[in-house]
Amino acid sequence: MVKHELPELPYPYNALEPHYDEQTVKLHHDAHHKAYIDGLNNAEAKLAEAREKGDFGLVKHWERELAFHGSGHILHTLFWESMKPGGGGPATGKIAELIDRDFGSFDNFKKQFSAAAVAVEGSGWALLCCNPTFGKLEILTAEKHQNLTQWGVIPILALDVWEHAYYLKYQNKRTAFVEAWWNLVNWDGVNSRCKCTCEA
C-alpha cells in the first residue's frame, strides 16, 4: 500500500512574514499537517487489515478516521497552495469574472468569505468552492475537516481557522488573522484549480 507523505511547502517557512509568522508556519506544517497524514496512513492500514481478516467490527471508527484525517491532509495541502509571498489584492483572471457574477463584486465576496471564516464554530475552514452541479461558485465552511460540505464541490481556496493555524501570533484574535490572510491569497493558484468547472 502506497503511503501518503507530507508535501513540501511551496515557499520557505518565513516567506509569508509579516502576515503569517515563521514559527507558526513551521509548527503548523511540520507537526499538525504531518499528524493528519500519519492518521490517514494508519486508518488506511487498519481498513486494509480489516479486509484481510474479514473483521469489520471497527469499520465505522476507521472510516471516520479516514474521513477526518484524509480531509485534513487535502485541505491543509490546499491551504498552503492558497497563499504565496507577495499575494493578496483583488482576484484576477477568470476567477475575478466568476466572483463578480456569483457574488456581485469582489468586495461582496471578501466580506462574505471573511464573515464565514470568523463565524466557524470551534475548529474548521472557510472554503471557496466550484460547484459543477449548480454551475457556480459557493462559499462553504467545514467544521473539523469534513462536516458541512456539499457533495461534488471542488475546493479552490482554503482558509484554515483552527486555532493552531494562528494562535502563536494572533492568539484568540481570529478576525485579525483573517484580515491579514487576505494579503497572502494566491489568485494564480485559485485560477489554476478552477478550470471553468463553475460555469453554467
Side-chain angles (χ1 to χ4, degrees):
M1 184 171 60
V2 177
K3 288 198 171 186
H4 302 276
E5 296 183 359
L6 181 66
E8 291 188 11
L9 286 174
Y11 33 73
Y13 293 119
N14 65 353
L16 303 179
E17 295 269 11
H19 309 293
Y20 206 12
D21 60 294
E22 178 178 1
Q23 185 181 8
T24 300
V25 171
K26 184 173 177 57
L27 179 66
H28 191 176
H29 177 265
D30 293 3
H32 290 284
H33 188 169
K34 185 177 184 304
Y36 297 118
I37 291 172
D38 293 343
L40 172 59
N41 284 327
N42 186 51
E44 289 186 343
K46 293 294 186 182
L47 288 166
E49 182 181 328
R51 290 190 297 272
E52 289 172 11
K53 294 181 177 179
D55 179 2
F56 296 100
L58 292 176
V59 68
K60 184 175 182 179
H61 168 74
W62 291 117
E63 288 186 345
R64 282 182 173 173
E65 290 288 292
L66 180 68
F68 178 76
H69 291 288
S71 295
H73 172 36
I74 290 167
L75 290 176
H76 274 91
T77 301
L78 177 58
F79 174 64
W80 303 122
E81 294 172 354
S82 292
M83 300 178 289
K84 71 175 183 178
T92 57
K94 185 65 176 178
I95 196 65
E97 298 173 20
L98 295 173
I99 284 173
D100 284 344
R101 183 196 70 184
D102 293 337
F103 299 99
S105 69
F106 178 77
D107 189 52
N108 286 343
F109 158 75
K110 183 177 177 180
K111 287 177 180 176
Q112 182 179 336
F113 191 96
S114 295
V118 172
V120 169
E121 293 183 7
S123 301
W125 301 79
L127 304 167
L128 176 64
C129 303
C130 287
N131 188 326
T133 302
F134 299 159
K136 61 183 290 192
L137 296 173
E138 304 274 14
I139 294 172
L140 298 170
T141 58
E143 291 176 359
K144 299 181 184 177
H145 303 300
Q146 75 277 25
N147 299 345
L148 299 181
T149 188
Q150 290 178 347
W151 292 110
V153 298
I154 302 164
I156 58 174
L157 178 67
L159 171 54
D160 189 346
V161 289
W162 288 63
E163 284 191 345
H164 70 237
Y166 59 87
Y167 202 81
L168 292 181
K169 180 177 176 70
Y170 295 95
Q171 299 178 10
N172 64 336
K173 300 175 181 71
R174 182 187 288 181
T175 300
F177 171 61
V178 172
E179 289 173 359
W181 175 81
W182 285 107
N183 294 293
L184 302 171
V185 175
N186 179 3
W187 292 114
D188 293 333
V190 176
N191 274 302
S192 71
R193 286 185 290 277
C194 189
K195 299 177 182 175
C196 298
T197 57
C198 313
E199 295 187 83

